[in-house]
Amino acid sequence: MYHHIKQLMYTVHIGRPDPRFGNMLLEQFGGANGELAAAMQYSIQGLNCDDPDRKDLLMDIGTEELNHLEVVGTLARMHLKPTKDNRDAAAEDPLISIAGGGGVNLYNSMGNAWTADYLKITGELDVDLRSNIAAEARAKIVYERLINFTDDPGTIDALRFLMTREITHMKAFTAALESMGKPMFSIGRIPPTPGLTDQYFNTSTGVGDRGEPDARGPWNQGGDWQMVDAPAFQELESPRAGTRQTGPVEPLV
Ligand code: MN
Ligand code: MN
């Protein structure tokens, strides 16, 4: 059940409207990493969730994102309002001005319509939580970039609130994932093929024009890692009856 309270989650005050900045704010209203996407992703994941504790978490944060949508929409609306009847302001966002009369709509900053394609909903709780941690990181960096492009103290204040809440959500989703107690690389039920999981394919080789190395690091050496030279440069024999293949040797299980 949803219930609307006629009050913003965070009070918004702005100085002079900045229609160009209002257009940029639409990225967090109807954009890929915006508040509607977050609200829908977590709420629909919550509908699908059979774990009552984490369902509660998904519904709590999904609902908070709806509150953020209202805050960022109010903020964008304040900055875009002059596009209704001011020619110079209208030029900053003709779609909002001509089609929307200065009001916000569910488009991103380039006028692309919001789409459910933005959402990552897999029906597998730990996989969804990983998507949510990444989504919060993206939302945080988008808010940071927006903050860097305005001088208005009231706008910065509201954006800092919204930015901070995304880190809070990131912490909560991370704790929820860790508390499931699943090993880090255990996804789904079918185990990965032994041996093959530890093979690092060195498929980008040589030294680049700017000295880019064929790098080694904890992502391909130490522990169980086994460096495998690029299959394209190898003549690999298949364990199957003498057939030649261009890919890596199939593992013997
Ligand atoms: Mn948010
Ligand atoms: Mn969030």
Side-chain angles (χ1 to χ4, degrees):
M1 173 194 308
Y2 286 92
H3 180 99
H4 185 256
I5 297 169
K6 287 181 281 299
Q7 208 170 33
L8 287 177
M9 184 189 197
Y10 195 84
T11 313
V12 181
H13 301 289
I14 69 163
R16 247 167 75 97
D18 178 350
R20 187 78 198 94
F21 189 70
N23 166 270
M24 293 180 195
L25 282 171
L26 294 179
E27 207 52 49
Q28 280 304 81
F29 192 68
N33 303 307
E35 300 295 355
L36 183 67
M40 291 300 107
Q41 179 160 307
Y42 309 152
S43 300
I44 306 305
Q45 286 173 355
L47 285 182
N48 295 330
C49 185
D50 294 324
D51 171 338
D53 294 356
R54 288 166 188 80
K55 177 174 185 150
D56 184 49
L57 165 77
L58 290 164
M59 298 312 289
D60 280 340
I61 300 186
T63 305
E64 181 177 340
E65 303 295 9
L66 274 182
N67 296 330
H68 293 185
L69 181 76
E70 192 181 22
V71 172
V72 80
T74 301
L75 192 60
R77 162 79 172 141
M78 287 172 165
H79 281 290
L80 288 166
K81 211 169 178 182
T83 63
K84 182 167 187 174
D85 40 35
N86 178 286
R87 172 67 172 78
D88 290 339
E92 303 295 356
D93 195 328
L95 180 68
I96 290 295
S97 167
I98 307 304
V104 295
N105 204 337
L106 290 168
Y107 297 101
N108 71 8
S109 60
M110 296 300 289
N112 297 310
W114 188 87
T115 165
D117 286 344
Y118 293 151
L119 308 183
K120 302 290 177 235
I121 297 165
T122 68
E124 194 78 6
L125 182 57
D126 61 313
V127 176
D128 281 350
L129 288 170
R130 287 168 193 266
S131 294
N132 299 356
I133 293 163
E136 294 293 344
R138 291 194 300 269
K140 196 277 179 185
I141 201 68
V142 172
Y143 276 123
E144 183 170 314
R145 289 173 182 156
L146 286 167
I147 287 168
N148 286 337
F149 286 148
T150 180
D151 298 326
D152 181 62
T155 302
I156 290 172
D157 183 57
L159 292 177
R160 277 190 71 97
F161 169 79
L162 294 169
M163 182 187 79
T164 300
R165 292 305 297 167
E166 311 308 12
I167 295 296
T168 310
H169 296 165
M170 201 174 169
K171 282 175 64 179
F173 285 136
T174 302
L177 176 63
E178 285 171 356
S179 63
M180 289 177 75
K182 290 191 74 174
M184 194 173 179
F185 302 113
S186 167
I187 305 289
R189 290 201 179 82
I190 301 174
T193 305
L196 187 59
T197 48
D198 301 326
Q199 291 184 358
Y200 182 90
F201 291 165
N202 189 26
T203 51
S204 171
T205 57
V207 177
D209 291 341
R210 296 188 194 86
E212 303 95 323
D214 209 18
R216 303 305 300 267
W219 56 88
N220 65 16
Q221 74 178 358
D224 298 327
W225 281 122
Q226 186 197 343
M227 189 74 144
V228 177
D229 282 337
F233 302 142
Q234 275 191 332
E235 297 219 337
L236 294 172
E237 293 294 331
S238 165
R240 288 194 203 117
T243 52
R244 194 174 284 269
Q245 60 175 36
T246 52
V249 174
E250 286 196 11
L252 298 167
V253 183

